[in-house]
Amino acid sequence: MGTITKNYEAKDIEDKWYKYWEENDFFHSVPDERPSYTICIPPPNVTGVLHMGHILNNTIQDIMIRRARMMGYNACWVPGTDHASIATEAKVVKKLKEQGIDKRDIGREAFLEHAFEWKEEYGGVILKQLRKLGCSCDWKRTRFTMEPKLSKAVVKVFVDLYNKGKMYRGYRMTNWDPSALTAVSDEEVYHKESMSKLYHVRYLVEGTKDEYVTIATTRPETILGDTAVCFHPEDERYLHLKGKNLIVPMVDRPVPAIFDDYVDMEFGTGALKVTPAHDVNDYEIGKRHGLKTIDIFTETAHINKTAGLFVGEERFQARKSAVAELERIGALVKVAEINNKVGYSERTHVVIEPRLTRQWFLQMKELAAPALENVMNDHVKFVPAHQKNTYRHWMENVRDWCVSRQLWWGQRIPVYYLSEEEFVVAETAEEALELARKTFDRPELQASDLKQDEDVVDTWFSSWLWPISVFDGFETEEEVNYYYPTKAVVTAPDIMFFWIARMIMAGYEYKGEKPFDTVYYTGTVRDPKGRKMSKSLGNSPDPLKLIEEYGADGTRVGMLMASPAGGDLLFDTKLCEQGRNFSNKIWNACRLVKGWEVKEGENKDNSAAIQWFENKFNQTLETIEKYYDQYRFSEILKVSYSFIWSDFCSDYLEMIKPEKDQAIDAATYQKTIEFFEK
């Protein structure tokens, strides 16, 4: 230990040492004879910037990886970014629009050039910020989900799953994002409690002048797409309507009265309007009863010509128009206020529109079985353990995964069409042509006869392969067999289904083994009032400003002070101040010791203090090791904090401190320096 300057300046110290570590490749790992200890970073969006959740997540990963290095493991922390199809495409489209360019006018290839330019310009920001946080990632191993090798792995897996009969194409009711213009999976929809209006509308029974059935709907604009009115088979109020039609108001369309167990007799009037094109339950009823499907919306959720009324109006404007028209014709009975849940797109935060589209789906039941079993038996350990209940519920009720997205930024679906119904699935265009010639017995076919699917796969379809693909495990076994399975993954519970469950499925499907030993779920970062931190609330501090003011160490200490395993944490910048003060305390303790004059020899008077502190150190270390096994990082910090601040600084240093103008003996001094190093 050299001489120490008077004031501790976190920025200078942290920047200096981080640069030294990186220049000397201290974080780089190559396979050797030591056991591996691997963590793959949850890849942040390539367009993203550091937020408080990242600080929490990456601090915990860094603690685990640095400890593994100190314990003699070959520690490898793999960084990387996710191409984030919807978010990135939206940003590139917006940028082009500002330049007066429409993506459809320039075509796919030119658009992708713009997207890659965007990625080059903005894509490295969050990785640079993780360096500021002090993360000891193996930067030489940085991966990107759209780089050629990782894209090739995605295509290979799609083809393999299709050949195994697990990938299929079909018309389904999907969650449509009218802003991003793509289908999204069930897991990409969040629901918000909302005060809505429930409109009671009367439908005339055909052949009568004044017999009406009243239905209740929150979406009167969809009346234009009604193809039936449905009742429960045992509802005596409506049994006389069997075989009869009702007249859809506004469009005067006769539709059949049908009977189905789905209808709840007790809810509302017991009568249900059926719009198969615009409601997932109505779609299922429509399939059972062979109903016609009338799609009244464009892809941007405007009313189309099929509807016959309000053509060109945006859906919420059309709702107002429909209410006014129903009122005008005397079909609106009453309007009530109700509290209901409305689905929003996780990516664009617009209201989801149920829409009938043709998509590619992955069958999940078979893939889910080993992934469920091996979490429930703790072969893959969840911390905290109660998260297993949530996981089990989802896995036992797993739905097929809609993997296609109507975007250009992403891995293009490897399906090549001769016609709408004739297609082949292959890794390359050359293989597709050869396969098509054989499959359809048409040796004369040319490459120009085949048209590749316009859609790309869901971003999560690349990140579910992450623990295998970052080691090029779909091409070679050289590294993947050394680093896989990884030790742990640190994540927020909200991507348990998007990512964790699917990585476990991919692990068992492609490696016959779990992808990681442990999943550590962090809590949600909240402000002192308990509100979730967000840009919109303006209650989230800028992490880089925190690092600038309190240092990376101070910021990390502040975050962990408030962080019970899996529990939400109430973050307050005062905790970062406490973290900075802790760094200063250690610094000043070191300055104190380095300021003492040292004389040769041994002071017997200090032997009791040294013995006491040595015992205290070993006892504390034992507690810390126990907490590490339990993933109790906050407790580890609190024990270390108290031990250093009180036992070391306040007690031990006071016990051995030489009298004024006196020297300290060399043996005590050397032992004290050793304690510092420990």
Side-chain angles (χ1 to χ4, degrees):
M1 294 166 85
T3 55
I4 298 182
T5 54
K6 188 179 176 187
N7 294 316
Y8 175 66
E9 297 295 339
K11 189 176 185 309
D12 297 342
I13 303 294
E14 288 171 358
D15 287 353
K16 169 191 160 184
W17 285 110
Y18 197 90
K19 190 174 177 225
Y20 175 74
W21 295 334
E22 201 173 349
E23 281 173 354
N24 285 279
D25 274 347
F26 291 149
F27 308 150
H28 185 49
S29 166
V30 290
D32 60 24
E33 71 290 342
R34 292 173 295 167
S36 68
Y37 187 106
T38 316
I39 296 178
C40 294
I41 209 165
N45 285 358
V46 70
T47 58
V49 291
L50 203 65
H51 59 59
M52 298 303 283
H54 289 134
I55 289 194
L56 173 63
N57 185 299
N58 288 284
T59 295
I60 290 168
Q61 290 176 80
D62 201 19
I63 290 167
M64 292 161 79
I65 213 80
R66 285 178 183 268
R67 176 172 179 257
R69 279 195 200 101
M70 290 168 77
M71 292 173 74
Y73 287 99
N74 187 349
C76 181
W77 186 12
V78 184
T81 48
D82 185 286
H83 61 279
S85 290
I86 296 176
T88 307
E89 180 142 339
K91 287 185 175 176
V92 178
V93 165
K94 187 182 174 202
K95 186 186 175 192
L96 291 174
K97 201 173 269 183
E98 286 164 4
Q99 298 168 16
I101 300 168
D102 186 296
K103 80 168 195 177
R104 296 188 190 282
D105 293 339
I106 61 172
R108 189 181 202 111
E109 296 309 314
F111 175 79
L112 288 175
E113 281 175 28
H114 283 283
F116 273 107
E117 278 171 22
W118 170 278
K119 181 256 170 186
E120 288 308 311
E121 192 173 343
Y122 300 102
V125 171
I126 195 160
L127 298 183
K128 288 192 184 88
Q129 292 173 337
L130 287 176
R131 287 172 167 89
K132 280 278 177 208
L133 185 62
C135 294
S136 61
C137 299
D138 187 343
W139 298 111
K140 285 189 169 177
R141 288 185 174 274
T142 304
R143 305 308 297 260
F144 173 52
T145 51
M146 273 275 282
E147 67 179 80
K149 280 186 176 179
L150 272 67
S151 289
K152 197 175 167 188
V154 168
V155 170
K156 193 186 198 81
V157 165
F158 187 103
V159 173
D160 176 66
L161 290 167
Y162 176 78
N163 290 336
K164 286 172 176 169
K166 291 178 180 173
M167 191 74 74
Y168 65 93
R169 184 173 178 239
Y171 276 109
R172 292 283 185 284
M173 185 62 70
T174 47
N175 305 299
W176 185 261
D177 181 329
S179 172
L181 302 184
T182 179
V184 295
S185 67
D186 293 339
E187 293 73 41
E188 289 164 294
V189 178
Y190 66 95
H191 293 84
K192 280 201 297 195
E193 290 282 344
S194 176
M195 283 308 293
S196 300
K197 287 184 166 62
L198 188 65
Y199 302 91
H200 292 253
V201 181
R202 60 184 197 172
Y203 288 52
L204 181 67
V205 176
E206 191 179 41
T208 71
K209 287 189 177 174
D210 57 2
E211 187 185 353
Y212 293 94
V213 168
T214 300
I215 62 96
T217 179
T218 56
R219 306 184 68 204
E221 69 280 10
T222 64
I223 287 172
L224 304 176
D226 284 357
T227 58
V229 177
C230 192
F231 313 97
H232 193 279
E234 292 167 16
D235 196 333
E236 291 180 2
R237 293 171 293 177
Y238 302 114
L239 293 179
H240 69 286
L241 296 176
K242 275 190 179 172
K244 294 189 178 180
N245 288 336
L246 292 99
I247 305 298
V248 178
M250 298 192 286
V251 289
D252 295 335
R253 179 191 305 126
V255 299
I258 62 170
F259 293 80
D260 195 285
D261 289 337
Y262 172 76
V263 179
D264 181 352
M265 287 192 279
E266 308 301 319
F267 182 75
T269 63
L272 178 76
K273 66 188 265 328
V274 185
T275 318
H278 300 293
D279 181 275
V280 65
N281 298 309
D282 291 8
Y283 173 66
E284 294 301 328
I285 293 170
K287 276 203 303 189
R288 288 197 290 275
H289 294 270
L291 297 179
K292 188 179 171 190
T293 299
I294 301 173
D295 186 349
I296 64 163
F297 287 128
T298 65
E299 61 178 9
T300 56
H302 287 69
I303 303 290
N304 64 26
K305 289 176 185 171
T306 314
L309 288 174
F310 323 130
V311 177
E313 288 188 12
E314 189 274 332
R315 57 185 164 163
F316 298 117
Q317 177 54 48
R319 182 169 301 172
K320 291 175 187 170
S321 301
V323 172
E325 178 63 11
L326 289 166
E327 214 163 7
R328 187 188 72 77
I329 63 176
L332 189 64
V333 180
K334 65 173 182 175
V335 182
E337 296 277 331
I338 63 156
N339 196 5
N340 68 337
K341 284 189 172 178
V342 178
Y344 288 79
S345 167
E346 198 210 31
R347 297 293 175 217
T348 60
H349 308 292
V350 300
V351 174
I352 282 294
E353 194 58 55
R355 190 165 189 237
L356 194 58
T357 54
R358 199 171 201 178
Q359 305 286 350
W360 281 96
F361 294 88
L362 176 59
Q363 289 176 349
M364 298 290 272
K365 274 272 183 264
E366 207 179 306
L367 287 167
L372 174 58
E373 182 191 342
N374 284 288
V375 167
M376 298 322 292
N377 66 17
D378 288 332
H379 191 53
V380 177
K381 185 181 176 189
F382 276 19
V383 179
H386 69 75
Q387 293 289 357
K388 285 163 63 174
N389 299 329
T390 312
Y391 179 84
R392 181 177 60 199
H393 177 74
W394 187 77
M395 293 292 271
E396 285 178 348
N397 298 282
V398 72
R399 292 185 181 183
D400 288 355
W401 179 6
C402 173
V403 298
S404 45
R405 297 289 178 271
Q406 288 64 56
L407 302 164
W408 285 350
W409 176 243
Q411 288 93 359
R412 197 168 173 184
I413 286 177
V415 179
Y416 298 80
Y417 299 90
L418 268 175
S419 67
E420 188 63 29
E421 302 304 328
E422 292 178 306
F423 59 82
V424 290
V425 179
E427 290 182 42
T428 64
E430 294 75 28
E431 287 173 36
L433 178 58
E434 198 180 316
L435 188 57
R437 284 172 175 167
K438 276 186 198 161
T439 305
F440 302 110
D441 195 21
R442 291 178 59 186
E444 76 284 359
L445 285 176
Q446 298 301 310
S448 55
D449 296 321
L450 291 173
K451 189 172 186 302
Q452 189 175 352
D453 201 303
E454 288 292 326
D455 293 350
V456 298
V457 291
D458 179 7
T459 308
W460 297 102
F461 197 81
S462 50
S463 51
W464 79 316
L465 309 174
W466 191 244
I468 307 172
S469 61
V470 292
F471 298 112
D472 297 326
F474 291 95
E475 284 189 8
T476 168
E477 300 204 323
E478 188 183 341
E479 285 207 328
V480 77
N481 286 352
Y482 178 74
Y483 291 111
Y484 187 100
T486 66
K487 285 294 174 200
V489 64
V490 179
T491 183
D494 57 359
I495 57 170
M496 183 189 291
F497 314 126
F498 289 122
W499 195 47
I500 298 298
R502 290 171 180 165
M503 279 193 291
I504 299 171
M505 291 183 209
Y508 284 107
E509 181 69 14
Y510 288 103
K511 293 302 292 176
E513 174 61 292
K514 60 186 175 183
F516 28 71
D517 294 337
T518 303
V519 184
Y520 178 92
Y521 291 103
T522 64
T524 302
V525 186
R526 300 185 181 275
D527 68 11
K529 292 179 183 172
R531 299 174 304 172
K532 186 175 179 179
M533 284 191 169
S534 70
K535 279 184 194 168
S536 56
L537 280 176
N539 63 345
S540 182
D542 178 346
L544 294 178
K545 285 184 179 163
L546 288 177
I547 292 168
E548 187 73 29
E549 188 171 353
Y550 302 108
D553 286 335
T555 302
R556 287 156 63 130
V557 165
M559 185 59 89
L560 281 183
M561 280 282 185
S563 172
D568 289 354
L569 54 149
L570 301 180
F571 177 79
D572 192 326
T573 50
K574 287 178 187 156
L575 295 169
C576 295
E577 200 176 321
Q578 197 177 338
R580 181 181 62 190
N581 293 345
F582 187 39
S583 297
N584 274 321
K585 185 76 174 173
I586 297 168
W587 184 264
N588 286 325
C590 196
R591 274 184 63 223
L592 173 72
V593 173
K594 292 297 286 182
W596 292 337
E597 188 187 330
V598 183
K599 65 176 181 191
E600 287 307 312
E602 189 176 347
N603 182 350
K604 300 288 184 199
D605 293 347
N606 286 333
S607 59
I610 290 168
Q611 187 61 52
W612 169 79
F613 187 77
E614 192 124 48
N615 291 341
K616 188 73 183 172
F617 180 90
N618 291 332
Q619 186 187 352
T620 305
L621 195 59
E622 211 171 284
T623 304
I624 285 172
E625 290 298 326
K626 183 182 77 181
Y627 284 159
Y628 266 118
D629 290 340
Q630 298 165 352
Y631 293 87
R632 292 166 66 182
F633 298 105
S634 184
E635 282 88 342
I636 294 166
L637 173 62
K638 285 167 187 169
V639 168
S640 306
Y641 183 95
S642 168
F643 173 63
I644 292 168
W645 196 288
S646 301
D647 297 322
F648 183 66
C649 298
S650 300
D651 296 339
Y652 173 74
L653 291 184
E654 284 300 317
M655 288 178 194
I656 62 153
K657 189 167 71 175
E659 296 292 327
K660 193 168 187 252
D661 300 328
Q662 296 293 308
I664 193 165
D665 65 282
T668 302
Y669 179 79
Q670 191 50 45
K671 201 70 188 163
T672 304
I673 295 297
E674 277 175 33
F675 287 149
F676 249 114
E677 293 293 346
K678 279 188 175 182

